[in-house]
Every structure is written in structure tokens, then in C-alpha cells.
């Protein structure tokens, strides 16, 4: 798939991010256009999660800027980023284990005031993940890993995002479930939500991506159309296990 | 959906049961003391005064007020506060300043009820002082919470510990603040006004009415605690307590939400302080010490952090043991064994032992919040379930 010709939604402009003395991301520039799936791949410690956390306002870049729909969002507090329409399904899922599925979804819509619209979102999420409807009153912590991942994505969708940020949604899941998750990501995109995806499962992430960026030790190493990168022998050797 | 509504229904009916129980308990104590004891045989009166003295019953209600306030901070938001006594002291001094002849440079009477001959000073209506006491402590909650809530929880505990020492020390030494007598030092402020309610004066010796009045305050506090927990703010606190980072990703403003718990929790201490000051007729700086903070914290932990009724039970039991229980058990045991053990002096040995035992055998408290109990009991099931679920989805 190739890059769409739509307006730029998210623009990361030459950011450098670090924790204390350690620099995790150096001079990264990338953009996500409306309606796209953009994948960010790389090995462990390449700076993928740091990049996402910076977008979500959990970290502040030392230099550079981040623009969302033409507005600067670098250094804006985490909850204000959510209010602007960026919702995050975090690495390791981080659902609220002691709350029910229903309460988890409810918290995803924490900032939304329109009860009718929230109910509509809830219905859409439960259609997308019928398993969640079956488990609606179960404590989230007692569900399987796959179900928890569905909940994490569903909870992020409850915020009615313009941009959905998915951090390692396939991590630790059985292959059958991985396929299901990637199918769902495409379904979500079709419903009009732009997606920024971070994955270690590089091949699957490249195949569904319109455009992809490859990170290595905090630097941007490569970028290009998802399908082209998926066929690139150099990529295959470095990230796709030969 | 139907399951959700039955769960909510169950919680509501559970609350109703407890609320009825609380009301009956309060009315029973009131009726016994107001109508039965005055004409009861001497032995009966002595028994009640020894084991269930009305003063101790009224004090229990004050402890409930404060424990529920601290529960908002510790139980709901999961922030450790080791200096809650400061809010009690601040509330008490608001009553001291605004309901007594102490600030004699003023002469203000706003629906107040000064005692004859003590008309100088400021005399506000008790209910007005309750509100002002709550607002004043909330402001202090904001002053303390503002800079400290950005700290990690261990540091927050240390700062609150310091705060709990500083405020009472200030009250002890506040007899001369640049020439101004602000707190009357260690002597404290006495001669507080009687409560006036619907034109009826609840005097120094009308203890049953005072008890009823403070019980109503405790009832109101219980009601607001439950409403608060079930509301939007309650959900935000719960989310922060479970996973701060995830809560932030859902759009919960972390600092502001913690801040709200600190300010709202402080109000319980303030109202408790005003209530206690009117109960004993004064405020005395030496009563506000670190031990009080620990006792209130024990009430919250023992009862079941976050569970309103659990905290009410925890406060009732500990306050009773503290004020009369230990003394009376000591008398009974000493008489039976012919010993001379000073039981009240072992109070903290008992508290420490109780806390250690709780942490070992029943961490979730006497009456834990349903959520915590469920998760603790489900832990064993979890693994089995996970395996079957994974296969179910795979075949799906």
C-alpha cells in the first residue's frame, strides 16, 4: 500500500527525547496523514515506545516539535492530548484489572460529556469485539491476554479518537489472535480512524501499513510504503527473521 | 446489561441495609440515654456509663467523620497521609475563633449563641462555622497538597507527617505571634458557644442532643462519601489507584484529581474538628498529636480501605476500644485475676499487634470493598480460566 494523498494529521518534527542523560530518540521526523495506517517498527530499544509516549504527552521532547491538526502538542499534559483526539492503547495493555470490562470502557470515555454518543461508541466497540460483550461484567484482570488486548483497544476507541495509537497490540498473543487483532485494526481504519501502530511483529505491521518508518537505536533508518518495505530484502534480514 | 443493573441494585440495597442499621443504632443510643436511663435503676445506669458512656458514643461519631475524610485520601485515591491530625486541629481552632469569647477585640454575633456574660468575641452560628471550618481546612489541604502532590507517594507521606507535626506545634506556640495571641497557647480556647438548632439551645449538659447532632453530621458524611465514590471523581480516583499511567492515558488529569481528593478529604477533618470542639466545649493544643493521625489511619485500614461502611465499623470499634473498652476490660480482668495491670497503657501494643495480624491474615480489612475482595478470591481461578479462554478464542 502506498501513502495517501490526504492532509497531514500528525507531524513529528526533528524530536530528540531522553530519560536523564540517556537519549532514546534522536532527530526523528515522521508524519501521519488522515485515514492512514502508519507503522513504526524496529527492534527492542529502538525508541518506538518513547516516540509514542512523547506523542501522548507522557514525555517532553528536548528539542523539536510535534503538531497535531496544525496545533503544537509537545509538552502538553497527557490528559489534554487525549482531549485533542489522540487515544493510546498502551504497551502491556494496562487495563484496570480490578474493574469490570464495562467500567474499563467507561473510563475510556472519561472526557466525553455526550452520553448518547458514548453509548453509540460503546455499541460499536462491542460489535467490533463480541467477546467483550460476553464478558461485560467480568473483572478485566481475570480475562485472557487476548481479551485484555481487545479491551485495551476498545477502551482507547471509547475516547472517540481522531488518531488511535497502538503500542505493541500483538505482544504475547497466540498467532490466531494476532491475525484477529490485525484484521480488527484494518476494520477500525475503515471506520475513519487514523492509526499509528508500533510493532515488533514487523511483517504484519508492514503489510497493513500505508507507510512505515524503521527505527534503529533512536535514529530513523528507513522509511517508505509499507508493502515496499515488506518486500525489501534488507528489511527482511534485519527485522523479519531472514 | 441486565447484570450491570442487578449489580448496581445489589449495591444500593446493601447501602440501604447499612444505612438503616446505622440509623437504628444512633436512635437506640439516643433513646436509651434521653428517656430510659434517667428513670432506670442505679446499677443499669452505672453499667451504661461504664461500658457505653454517651461521651464515648459521641466521640465515636467524631472519629467516623474524620476516618471517612481520611478514607477519601487514603482509600479512594490511594495517597498516604500521615498527618491528618493537622486538619482536625485546624477545624477545631476555627470553632475556637468563631464561636467563643476568645477574640475579644471583636464583637460580632452572626446567628450565634453566646453564653450570658460572654458576649464579646465572635459568635457565629454552629452550622455556619461547620461550613467555614470545612472551607478553611480545604484551603489548607490545597496549600499543602499543591506543591507536594507532584511527589511520589513515599515523599508525600513524609511531607504530610511533617505537616501533622507543624500545625499542632504552631497551635501550642501560637499564644504570641508577633504580639498577637492567636491560639492562646497550651491553655487552649474554652467556653465555646452552645449549639442553637431551630431556636432550641443544646446546652453543655444536653449530651443526648449533642450526640444526635454529631450523628447526623456523620450520617451526612457517609452519604456524601458514597455519592462521591460512585460519581465521576470516584471513578477517576479508582483509576489512579489502580494504574496511574493508564488513567492519564484515559484523560484523567492526575494532579488535579489527586488534589481534589486531598482538599475534599481535608474537609472531613475540619468538620470533625468543629464537632469535637463543640462536644468538649473547647480546643486544646496538646490533644493534637501524631498518635491521632495513626489511629485514624488504623481505622481506615482495619475497616477496609475505600469501603465506606467498613471504615465506619473500623472507626466505631477502635474509638470504643480506645475510650472505654480497654479500661473496662482491664477492670473486669483485674478483678477476676486479682492483678493490677494498667490496660489502657497497652493501647498501642494492642493496635500494633492488630495491624500486624491484619496485614498477615486479612489484608483487605474487616469489610473490604467488594472489588478488592473479589480479585483476591479470584486469583486462584485465574490461571485455569485463562487457559480455557485462550483455546476458546482460538477455536472461535
Amino acid at each position: 500500500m502506498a501513502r495517501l494523498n490526504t492532509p497531514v494529521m500528525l507531524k513529528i518534527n526533528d524530536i530528540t527525547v531522553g530519560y536523564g542523560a540517556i537519549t532514546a530518540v534522536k532527530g526523528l521526523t515522521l508524519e501521519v496523514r488522515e485515514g492512514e495506517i502508519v507503522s513504526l517498527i524496529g527492534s527492542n530499544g529502538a525508541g518506538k515506545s518513547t516516540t509514542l509516549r512523547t506523542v501522548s504527552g507522557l514525555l517532553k521532547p528536548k528539542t523539536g516539535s510535534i503538531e497535531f491538526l496544525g496545533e503544537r502538542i509537545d509538552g502538553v499534559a497527557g490528559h489534554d492530548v487525549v482531549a485533542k483526539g489522540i487515544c493510546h492503547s498502551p504497551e502491556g495493555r494496562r487495563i484496570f484489572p480490578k474493574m469490570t470490562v464495562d467500567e474499563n470502557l467507561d473510563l475510556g470515555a472519561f472526557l466525553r460529556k455526550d452520553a448518547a454518543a458514548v453509548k453509540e461508541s460503546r455499541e460499536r466497540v462491542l460489535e467490533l469485539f463480541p467477546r467483550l460483550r460476553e464478558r461485560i461484567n467480568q473483572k478485566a484482570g481475570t480475562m485472557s491476554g487476548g481479551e485484555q488486548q481487545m479491551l485495551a483497544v476498545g477502551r482507547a476507541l471509547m475516547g472517540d479518537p481522531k488518531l488511535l495509537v497502538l503500542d505493541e497490540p500483538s505482544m504475547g498473543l497466540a498467532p490466531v489472535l494476532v491475525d484477529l487483532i490485525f484484521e480488527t485494526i484494518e476494520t477500525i481504519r475503515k471506520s475513519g480512524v487514523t492509526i499509528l501502530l508500533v510493532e515488533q511483529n514487523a511483517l504484519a505491521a508492514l503489510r497493513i501499513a500505508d507507510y512505515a518508518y524503521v527505527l534503529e537505536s533512536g535514529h530513523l533508518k528507513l522509511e517508505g510504503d509499507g508493502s515496499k518495505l515488506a518486500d525489501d530484502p534488507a528489511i527482511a534480514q534485519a527485522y523479519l527473521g531472514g | 446489561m441486565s447484570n450491570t443493573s442487578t449489580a448496581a441494585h445489589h449495591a444500593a440495597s446493601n447501602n440501604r441495609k447499612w444505612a438503616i442499621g446505622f440509623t437504628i443504632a444512633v436512635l437506640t443510643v439516643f433513646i436509651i440515654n434521653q428517656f430510659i436511663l434517667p428513670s432506670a435503676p442505679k446499677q443499669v445506669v452505672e453499667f451504661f456509663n461504664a461500658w457505653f458512656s454517651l461521651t464515648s458514643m459521641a466521640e465515636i461519631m467524631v472519629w467516623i467523620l474524620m476516618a471517612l475524610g481520611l478514607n477519601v485520601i487514603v482509600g479512594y485515591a490511594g495517597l498516604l497521609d500521615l498527618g491528618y491530625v493537622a486538619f482536625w486541629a485546624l477545624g477545631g481552632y476555627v470553632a475556637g475563633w468563631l464561636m467563643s469569647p476568645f477574640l475579644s477585640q471583636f464583637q460580632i454575633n452572626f446567628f450565634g449563641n453566646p453564653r450570658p456574660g460572654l458576649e464579646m468575641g465572635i459568635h457565629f452560628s454552629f452550622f455556619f462555622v461547620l461550613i467555614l471550618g470545612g472551607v478553611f481546612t480545604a484551603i489548607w489541604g490545597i496549600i499543602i497538597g499543591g506543591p507536594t502532590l507532584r511527589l511520589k507517594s513515599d515523599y508525600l507521606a513524609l511531607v504530610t507527617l511533617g505537616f501533622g507535626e507543624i500545625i499542632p506545634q504552631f497551635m501550642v506556640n501560637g499564644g504570641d505571634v508577633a504580639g498577637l495571641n492567636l491560639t492562646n497557647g497550651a491553655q487552649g480556647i474554652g467556653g465555646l458557644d452552645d449549639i442553637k438548632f431551630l431556636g432550641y439551645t443544646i446546652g453543655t449538659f444536653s449530651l443526648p442532643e449533642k450526640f444526635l447532632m454529631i450523628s447526623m453530621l456523620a450520617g451526612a458524611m457517609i452519604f456524601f462519601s458514597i455519592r462521591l465514590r460512585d460519581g465521576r471523581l470516584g471513578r477517576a480516583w479508582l483509576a489512579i489507584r489502580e494504574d496511574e499511567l493508564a488513567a492519564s492515558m484515559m484523560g484523567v488529569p492526575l494532579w488535579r484529581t489527586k488534589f481534589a481528593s486531598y482538599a475534599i478529604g481535608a474537609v472531613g477533618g475540619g468538620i470533625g474538628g468543629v464537632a469535637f470542639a463543640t462536644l468538649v466545649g473547647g480546643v486544646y493544643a496538646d490533644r493534637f498529636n501524631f498518635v491521632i493521625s495513626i489511629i485514624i489511619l488504623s481505622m481506615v485500614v482495619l475497616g477496609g480501605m475505600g469501603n465506606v461502611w467498613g471504615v465506619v465499623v473500623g472507626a466505631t470499634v477502635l474509638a470504643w476500644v480506645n475510650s472505654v473498652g480497654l479500661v473496662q476490660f482491664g477492670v473486669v480482668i483485674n478483678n477476676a485475676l486479682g492483678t493490677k495491670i494498667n490496660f489502657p497503657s497497652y493501647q498501642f501494643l494492642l493496635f500494633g499487634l492488630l495491624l500486624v495480624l491484619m496485614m498477615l491474615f486479612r489484608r483487605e480489612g474487616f469489610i473490604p470493598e467488594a472489588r478488592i475482595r473479589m480479585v483476591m478470591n479470584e486469583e486462584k481461578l485465574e490461571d485455569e480460566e485463562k487457559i480455557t479462554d485462550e483455546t476458546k478464542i482460538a477455536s472461535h
Side-chain angles (χ1 to χ4, degrees):
Chain A
M1 281 180 256
R3 175 124 257 189
L4 299 184
N5 214 355
T6 47
V8 175
M9 182 176 252
L10 178 78
K11 179 146 186 63
I12 296 180
N13 207 354
D14 195 20
I15 57 163
T16 297
V17 197
Y19 306 87
I22 303 155
T23 305
V25 171
K26 294 163 216 153
L28 175 67
T29 296
L30 68 77
E31 61 180 47
V32 180
R33 298 182 187 170
E34 272 172 36
E36 280 186 330
I37 295 180
V38 170
S39 289
L40 194 57
I41 64 168
S43 52
N44 255 340
K48 299 171 305 212
S49 286
T50 303
T51 308
L52 290 198
R53 285 175 169 220
T54 314
V55 170
S56 291
L58 301 172
L59 292 170
K60 204 175 162 177
K62 282 177 185 160
T63 59
S65 66
I66 302 176
E67 279 173 38
F68 181 66
L69 296 171
E71 229 181 312
R72 283 282 290 266
I73 59 161
D74 48 289
V76 167
H79 58 269
D80 289 326
V81 173
V82 179
K84 288 185 194 304
I86 302 180
C87 294
H88 199 141
S89 163
E91 184 184 357
R93 309 190 268 269
R94 300 194 91 120
I95 46 135
F96 299 105
K98 294 172 191 174
M99 297 188 193
T100 64
V101 170
D102 209 13
E103 289 170 317
N104 266 278
L105 291 178
D106 211 27
L107 267 166
F110 186 77
L111 289 177
R112 294 172 67 189
K113 303 266 187 281
D114 183 351
V118 170
K119 211 174 162 190
E120 218 180 284
S121 296
R122 186 176 176 280
E123 210 40 50
R124 268 208 306 275
V125 167
L126 294 181
E127 262 165 45
L128 200 60
F129 299 112
R131 294 286 300 176
L132 294 184
R133 196 192 295 276
E134 290 167 29
R135 307 250 151 185
I136 195 82
N137 289 311
Q138 191 173 326
K139 305 280 161 191
T142 66
M143 298 200 302
S144 73
E147 288 165 336
Q148 290 189 11
Q149 185 58 59
M150 294 175 194
L151 179 57
V153 175
R155 186 181 62 176
L157 283 173
M158 286 298 289
D160 194 21
K162 296 185 179 94
L163 176 67
L164 176 65
V165 178
L166 299 172
D167 197 349
E168 307 275 9
S170 78
M171 192 166 66
L173 297 187
V176 188
L177 285 176
V178 173
D179 291 347
L180 182 70
I181 289 285
F182 278 103
E183 273 168 37
T184 312
I185 293 172
E186 290 197 284
T187 314
I188 294 169
R189 185 260 287 274
K190 274 181 203 133
S191 73
V193 179
T194 308
I195 292 167
L196 177 57
L197 171 68
V198 156
E199 260 299 332
Q200 287 203 44
N201 186 340
L203 186 59
L206 289 176
R207 279 199 182 132
I208 65 165
D210 300 296
Y211 202 75
Y213 295 87
V214 182
L215 284 183
E216 196 178 84
S217 351
H219 291 283
L220 182 63
K221 191 180 180 220
L222 258 177
E223 60 178 292
D225 294 343
S227 48
K228 264 186 211 153
L229 289 186
D231 297 335
D232 187 329
I235 296 285
Q237 203 174 0
Y239 303 100
L240 309 179
Chain B
M1 265 334 280
S2 62
N3 276 339
T4 323
S5 54
T6 44
H9 179 75
H10 178 73
S13 87
N14 196 26
N15 276 337
R16 204 173 309 124
K17 257 183 259 165
W18 276 98
I20 292 170
F22 178 79
T23 313
I24 290 175
V26 166
L27 287 179
T28 309
V29 171
F30 176 72
I31 290 168
I32 286 176
N33 283 282
Q34 179 79 333
F35 302 111
I36 298 177
L37 286 190
S39 54
K42 200 171 157 242
Q43 281 138 314
V44 177
V45 176
E46 270 173 6
F47 172 80
F48 270 97
N49 282 345
W51 287 89
F52 304 103
S53 77
L54 194 53
T55 317
S56 70
M57 294 295 129
E59 278 180 19
I60 284 175
M61 291 299 154
V62 174
W63 287 105
I64 288 177
L65 273 171
M66 288 188 290
L68 285 175
L70 184 63
N71 184 44
V72 172
I73 301 173
V74 177
Y76 289 177
L79 305 166
L80 186 54
D81 185 335
L82 294 177
Y84 197 69
V85 68
F87 296 129
W88 183 16
L90 289 166
Y93 276 92
V94 169
W97 292 323
L98 303 182
M99 290 180 72
S100 81
F102 172 64
L103 293 175
S104 53
Q105 51 275 59
F106 302 97
Q107 185 158 2
I108 302 167
N109 188 335
F110 182 74
F111 298 104
N113 193 23
R115 295 182 191 188
L118 297 174
E119 282 89 357
M120 67 283 204
I122 303 174
H123 300 277
F124 283 178
S125 153
F126 170 67
F127 300 97
F128 192 49
V129 173
L130 271 181
I131 295 169
L132 288 179
V135 171
F136 186 67
T137 43
I139 291 170
W140 275 94
I142 289 168
I143 292 172
I144 306 303
T148 52
L149 287 175
R150 292 187 196 279
L151 299 174
K152 289 254 177 342
S153 57
D154 305 1
Y155 300 105
L156 177 69
L158 284 178
V159 172
T160 54
L161 183 66
F163 176 55
E165 288 296 308
I166 292 166
I167 296 285
Q169 275 306 312
F170 175 81
M171 298 309 184
V172 171
N173 298 315
D176 185 0
V177 181
L180 182 73
N181 182 0
L182 205 56
T183 65
N184 211 20
Q187 281 169 298
I189 302 170
L192 255 64
D193 300 350
D194 294 331
I195 300 171
K196 204 173 183 180
F197 182 51
L198 302 173
Y200 178 76
T201 295
I202 303 174
T204 318
F205 300 105
S206 36
L207 206 49
E209 288 93 335
K210 262 190 195 173
F211 165 77
L212 202 58
M213 174 64 68
I214 298 174
S215 298
M216 282 194 272
L217 287 178
M221 189 74 187
I222 291 170
F223 174 77
F224 284 119
S225 287
I226 292 171
R227 290 301 298 265
L228 208 54
R229 183 194 59 196
D230 295 341
R232 186 178 144 86
L233 204 50
R235 284 188 300 143
W237 285 328
L238 211 60
I240 288 183
R241 205 178 65 187
E242 287 205 17
D243 189 335
E244 211 172 294
L245 188 76
S248 160
M249 284 176 169
M250 298 303 107
V252 175
L254 295 181
W255 183 74
R256 213 185 304 155
T257 308
K258 288 182 185 176
F259 200 60
S261 89
Y262 210 68
I264 293 171
V267 172
I271 290 176
V274 173
F276 187 72
T278 48
L279 178 66
V280 301
V283 269
Y284 307 102
D286 56 351
R287 297 207 54 154
F288 307 118
N289 52 46
F290 173 63
V291 166
I292 303 281
S293 298
I294 296 305
I295 292 177
I296 302 176
L297 188 64
S298 307
M299 289 168 173
V300 175
V301 174
L302 285 176
M305 272 196 276
N307 182 311
V308 172
W309 297 111
V311 171
V312 170
V313 171
T316 306
V317 170
L318 281 195
W320 180 78
V321 167
N322 232 350
S323 62
V324 293
L326 214 51
V327 180
Q328 290 307 317
F329 278 123
V331 170
V332 169
I333 293 171
N334 279 338
N335 280 346
L337 303 176
T339 48
K340 281 201 176 108
I341 304 166
N342 181 7
F343 273 82
S345 68
Y346 292 101
Q347 181 190 1
F348 295 108
L349 182 72
L350 181 76
F351 275 24
L353 197 69
L354 211 56
L355 276 178
V356 171
L357 288 177
M358 290 292 291
M359 287 303 122
L360 283 176
F361 300 111
R362 202 174 159 84
R363 283 181 128 176
E364 67 270 38
F366 288 140
I367 306 173
E369 208 192 349
R371 189 185 311 284
I372 292 172
R373 185 176 49 212
M374 273 168 132
V375 168
M376 290 202 164
N377 294 338
E378 273 169 13
E379 243 159 44
K380 286 175 213 138
L381 285 171
E382 209 176 316
D383 295 332
E384 287 170 43
E385 247 179 53
K386 261 185 188 165
I387 296 162
T388 48
D389 284 348
E390 208 78 58
T391 41
K392 258 188 235 160
I393 297 173
S395 58
H396 166 77

